[in-house]
Amino acid sequence: MDIIRAVGAEQLKDNAENFRIGDTIKVHFKIIEGKTERIQIYEGLVIALNNTGINRTVTVRKISYGVGVERIFPIHSPKIDKIEVSRMGKVRRAKLYYIRDRVGKAAKVKQLMKRKLKKNA
Amino acid sequence: MIGLIGKKAGMTQVFDEEGTLTPVTVIEVEPNVVVASRTLEKDGYNAVVLGSVEMKSSNVTKPYAGQFKNDVTPKKHVIEIRDFEKECNVGDSFGVELIENLVYVDVVGTSKGKGFQGVMKRHNFSGGRATHGSKFHRVGGSTGMAAYPSKVIKGTKMAGRMGGEKKTVQNLEVVRVDAEKKIVLVKGAIPGTKNSIVLVRTAKKK
């Protein structure tokens, strides 16, 4: 293995990418406030996966109080407790940026019935 | 001052203790062997000459081989470090353990060659306006002044070859030293291309 990948490999999580593009996921994100630590859940649609190895990130979009919010999480970050899939989506592209231009029902992704919730429930 | 010869392996990111992604440069360090030492009595100053990376014997010329004494095999890269703060004899070998306790380092390397560049890129001139009838865009402007001195003073900043020169980046944080993999991770970028030779040394201003 080349040396750059070996450096990141130590911090890689097992099975961190347990979701696909188009899925709706819940990201359990650790927030440190002074001494206390709490977990915040951010739920939204996976519209993009970028980079490889330790740099792998996921872009999660949701509508919050009528405003579109996108957060980019490094999926191997120790700050991420876990990622749950709440709904599987059926999509035909790797990047769902077209969702940004759509409002309401048009911005929905069809649910994928084939590999439905059983595994993740 | 202590230092080591290393090779820039490239950049990546790692998570620090707080879980923040930190950009790092990976520097590979092969064993550094003390080739010679300079002393105050003999040479007028104290220094240690370090060598790294073995050479193919067919590539070694006799004059080059002459500087390697006491069973030290010829090394591809040789650097002299003044006032080396560690007791050592000719033939001793150092690895990354030497800089394990350093918090900040300076990295000296050869910057990437950028070819013939104009004054805006090479000397950070501000240039002129792009629009509104301006006819003055990226050129340097007047260099010779008026009747006096009526000539271009030596050293005036102009367009020309840029890069490919010795550069030092100071006060880089040491993120991790891995003796097993023989690598040092420093925070941020360092001069040069991948596989270029760099000197990692004690930070002078910390």
Side-chain angles (χ1 to χ4, degrees), chain B residues 96-97 99-102 174-179 183-185:
Chain B
V96 278
E97 315 83 60
I99 53 175
E100 216 160 31
N101 297 324
L102 297 184
V174 177
V175 176
R176 198 192 301 164
V177 175
D178 194 330
I183 53 170
V184 190
L185 306 188

Side-chain angles (χ1 to χ4, degrees), chain B residues 41 43 96 133 189:
Chain B
E41 300 82 54
D43 308 286
V96 278

Side-chain angles (χ1 to χ4, degrees), chain A residues 10-11 54-55 77-79, chain B residues 10 13 15 18 176 181 183:
Chain A
E10 298 161 15
Q11 292 180 325
I54 194 76
N55 303 333
S77 168
K79 277 186 183 169
Chain B
Q13 293 175 313
F15 292 101
E18 286 161 11
R176 198 192 301 164
K181 293 198 183 86
I183 53 170

Side-chain angles (χ1 to χ4, degrees), chain B residues 36-48 80 83 88:
Chain B
S37 59
R38 313 265 185 254
T39 56
L40 198 62
E41 300 82 54
K42 196 159 165 265
D43 308 286
Y45 62 95
N46 288 315
V48 154
E80 188 173 296
D83 300 319
C88 55

